């Protein structure tokens, strides 16, 4: 990795007294390289905004340290951190026009007027807000305010750009266009950006690495592909990916030379011993119970598979989502063709062992992904 743009070490955030208040962020440690785009992804209340606000300096750190570009900043005022932030609540200066809001930091840094004008013009074009530059924040829509706030952050030269739900108010089409442009803008200039989002499409599209958070705890910090292919635990496995990963509890056994994963309702997935690598096989056979997971795209129908009953069937225009009652629960499979299956129809499903994710039943931590140990 290139030089560190941000180092967070053992950071805790309590709202209220330390060790007694709300423990919003728990022992967070992460390092972000210069030029990286990182998404903090998680559901509401997972601690992502608290993390961003501690980096910016709008919330105090209860414990631990934060360094930006090699300089400890967690005790400094926000203006001393050389960090630019676009806020979810926009926080534009009401008495200033959109142009003045965007130019504010550049003027304060005494950049020549011609340079300020050309920077404002190019970012306004990028964000499609050229027509509202002379308007005041109170007279523009929420989506326009959001883009103005984003422009005000991106225009600055800073060690770190923090973007809090930067496109939450925008329509899907505009959001998709801007995502591409913003990523290009950030990469072209070698900026380092951290964005907070609960939208995994946004995280996948923009970020080099995604930090998945839940309950104030960092669950996994990795590339989008690795998070999909090698989820660290049941939480990331089921949180990231659409439709979500199917999961079932299973008893592990060995019968007639086969490894059996016994599911509720007397069903069993049976695999040749050699279907798994020796280390994975050993880990499996060392346990009585596990949780198995399979992505809906990896479930196949096959004549000699395990029986299930269709409970829903939806054609989405480019793929079919089939839900089936299976092993005392529900299983979703995705097929690329238009599949005509009546509700209540019997099907048989099979799961290739290379697509099987296995998790520890007690901790939820991943044991194996296909052939490889986690
Ligand atoms: N000022 C505050 N006082 C007390 N508790 C707070 C405060 N701000 C946040 N919290 C709590 O801290 C936890 C983390 O909140 P945070 O806003 O960081 O989560 P988030 O993942 O960004 O959520 P959202 O997506 O809804 O903004 C939540 O339980 C929240 O209720």
């Amino acid at each position: 990795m290139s030089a560190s743009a941000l180092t967070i070490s053992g950071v805790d955030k309590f709202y209220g007294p330390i060790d007694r208040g709300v423990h919003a962020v728990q022992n967070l440690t992460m390092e972000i390289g210069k030029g990286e785009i990182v998404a903090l992804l998680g559901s509401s209340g997972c601690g992502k905004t608290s993390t961003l606000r501690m980096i910016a300096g709008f919330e105090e750190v209860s414990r631990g340290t934060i360094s930006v570009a090699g300089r400890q900043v967690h005790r400094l005022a926000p203006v001393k951190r050389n960090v630019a932030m676009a806020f979810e609540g926009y926080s534009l200066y009401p008495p200033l026009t959109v142009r003045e809001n965007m130019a504010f930091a550049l003027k304060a840094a005494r950049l020549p007027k011609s340079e300020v004008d050309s920077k404002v013009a190019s970012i306004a074009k990028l964000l499609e807000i050229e027509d509202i530059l002379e308007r005041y924040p109170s007279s523009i829509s929420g989506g326009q305010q959001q883009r103005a706030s984003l422009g005000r952050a991106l225009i600055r030269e800073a060690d770190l750009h923090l973007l809090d739900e930067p496109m939450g108010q925008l329509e899907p089409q505009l959001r998709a266009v801007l995502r591409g442009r913003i990523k290009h803008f950030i990469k072209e200039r070698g900026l380092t950006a951290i964005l907070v989002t609960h939208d995994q499409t946004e995280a996948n599209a923009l970020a080099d690495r995604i930090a998945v958070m839940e309950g104030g705890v960092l669950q996994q910090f990795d590339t989008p592909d690795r998070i999909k292919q090698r989820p660290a635990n049941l939480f990331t496995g089921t949180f990231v990916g659409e439709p979500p990963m199917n999961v079932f509890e299973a008893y592990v056994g060995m019968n007639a030379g086969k490894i059996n994963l016994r599911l509720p309702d007397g069903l069993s997935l049976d695999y040749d011993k050699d279907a798994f690598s020796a280390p994975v096989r050993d880990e499996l056979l060392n346990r009585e119970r596990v949780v198995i997971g399979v992505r809906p795209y990896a479930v196949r129908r096959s004549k000699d598979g395990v029986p299930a009953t269709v409970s829903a069937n939806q054609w989405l225009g480019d793929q079919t989502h089939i839900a089936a009652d299976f092993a005392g629960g529900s299983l979703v499979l995705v097929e690329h063709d238009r599949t005509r299956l009546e509700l209540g129809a019997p099907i048989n499903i099979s799961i290739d062992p290379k697509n099987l994710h296995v998790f520890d039943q007690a901790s939820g931590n991943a044991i194996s992904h296909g052939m490889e140990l986690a």
Side-chain angles (χ1 to χ4, degrees):
M1 197 187 295
S2 51
S4 171
L6 172 71
T7 306
I8 300 177
S9 299
V11 162
D12 280 295
K13 176 68 192 173
F14 289 93
Y15 291 101
I18 290 190
D19 291 332
R20 284 184 290 127
V22 177
H23 201 178
V25 177
Q26 304 185 20
N27 194 21
L28 179 66
T29 293
M30 59 196 291
E31 181 151 354
I32 295 175
K34 198 169 173 322
E36 262 197 296
I37 305 178
V38 166
L40 301 181
L41 175 70
S43 49
S44 184
C46 73
K48 51 196 190 298
T49 303
S50 299
T51 301
L52 204 72
R53 291 177 60 84
M54 284 191 287
I55 301 168
F58 299 113
E59 286 295 346
E60 277 182 17
V61 166
S62 307
R63 261 199 294 263
T65 61
I66 298 180
S67 300
V68 172
R71 191 171 60 111
Q72 276 210 353
V73 297
H74 58 278
R75 289 203 191 82
L76 300 180
V79 289
K80 299 260 170 72
R81 297 190 183 198
N82 199 22
V83 164
M85 178 153 170
F87 295 85
E88 191 182 5
Y90 323 131
S91 74
L92 297 164
Y93 306 118
L96 303 185
T97 62
V98 169
R99 177 190 297 284
E100 289 162 345
N101 263 283
M102 286 172 63
F104 192 84
L106 304 187
K107 281 189 178 159
R110 301 189 184 285
L111 252 66
K113 184 173 180 312
S114 59
E115 198 176 325
V116 174
D117 286 348
S118 96
K119 285 195 167 180
V120 170
S122 85
I123 295 213
K125 180 158 186 266
L126 179 112
L127 297 171
E128 299 188 13
I129 50 173
E130 296 151 291
D131 53 334
I132 55 159
L133 283 175
E134 312 314 328
R135 306 253 292 267
Y136 289 90
S138 60
S139 75
I140 58 177
S141 73
Q144 290 168 329
Q145 290 184 47
Q146 188 161 47
R147 278 178 281 161
S149 170
L150 188 53
R152 191 179 57 174
L154 289 178
I155 207 167
R156 285 185 52 193
E157 287 193 3
D159 289 323
L160 214 49
H161 286 76
L162 307 177
L163 315 174
D164 191 3
E165 300 274 3
M167 285 174 271
Q169 292 295 316
L170 310 184
E171 301 152 16
Q173 269 168 332
L174 181 60
R175 205 188 290 191
V177 172
L178 290 193
R179 254 186 228 137
R181 285 192 204 156
I182 289 168
K183 180 162 187 170
H184 184 250
F185 179 90
I186 291 173
K187 287 290 172 194
E188 199 175 49
R189 285 161 182 75
L191 308 180
T192 309
I194 304 176
L195 91 139
V196 155
T197 182
H198 60 266
D199 176 353
Q200 47 175 295
T201 310
E202 191 148 295
N204 281 320
L206 272 165
D208 300 309
R209 286 194 295 165
I210 300 176
V212 182
M213 292 184 75
E214 174 63 7
V217 177
L218 179 64
Q219 304 289 324
Q220 189 166 3
F221 185 28
D222 217 328
T223 61
D225 279 353
R226 282 181 63 88
I227 285 180
K228 276 251 178 69
Q229 288 156 13
R230 304 180 63 85
N233 56 32
L234 264 175
F235 179 80
T236 38
T238 51
F239 185 73
V240 180
E242 254 305 301
M245 179 186 275
N246 298 296
V247 290
F248 295 92
E249 289 202 3
Y251 284 90
V252 185
M254 188 105 201
N255 189 9
K258 296 207 169 215
I259 293 177
N260 319 115
L261 300 173
R262 294 195 310 281
L263 304 166
D265 290 349
L267 302 179
S268 172
L269 293 164
D270 300 328
Y271 296 106
D272 284 338
K273 246 176 29 263
D274 302 335
F276 298 97
S277 64
V280 171
R281 195 167 56 220
D282 290 349
E283 279 292 329
L284 280 174
L285 293 172
N286 261 338
R287 288 157 212 267
E288 199 187 346
R289 288 173 79 175
V290 293
V291 177
I292 59 168
V294 61
R295 301 237 176 247
Y297 295 91
V299 180
R300 299 272 173 271
R301 285 189 291 139
S302 76
K303 279 204 310 295
D304 47 359
V306 185
T309 309
V310 173
S311 58
N313 181 358
Q314 272 185 305
W315 170 244
L316 301 182
D318 57 355
Q319 50 184 251
T320 306
H321 287 194
I322 301 163
D325 296 329
F326 176 76
S330 190
L331 172 105
V332 173
L333 58 145
V334 172
E335 294 186 353
H336 291 286
D337 298 328
R338 187 163 197 163
T339 312
R340 298 188 190 278
L341 280 170
E342 300 291 323
L343 300 194
I347 55 173
N348 295 81
I349 64 110
S350 70
I351 300 166
D352 191 319
K354 74 173 189 303
N355 294 323
L356 203 60
H357 303 268
V358 183
F359 302 92
D360 184 76
Q361 204 251 344
S363 67
N365 290 335
I367 296 167
S368 62
H369 306 290
M371 296 294 123
E372 292 174 26
L373 285 180

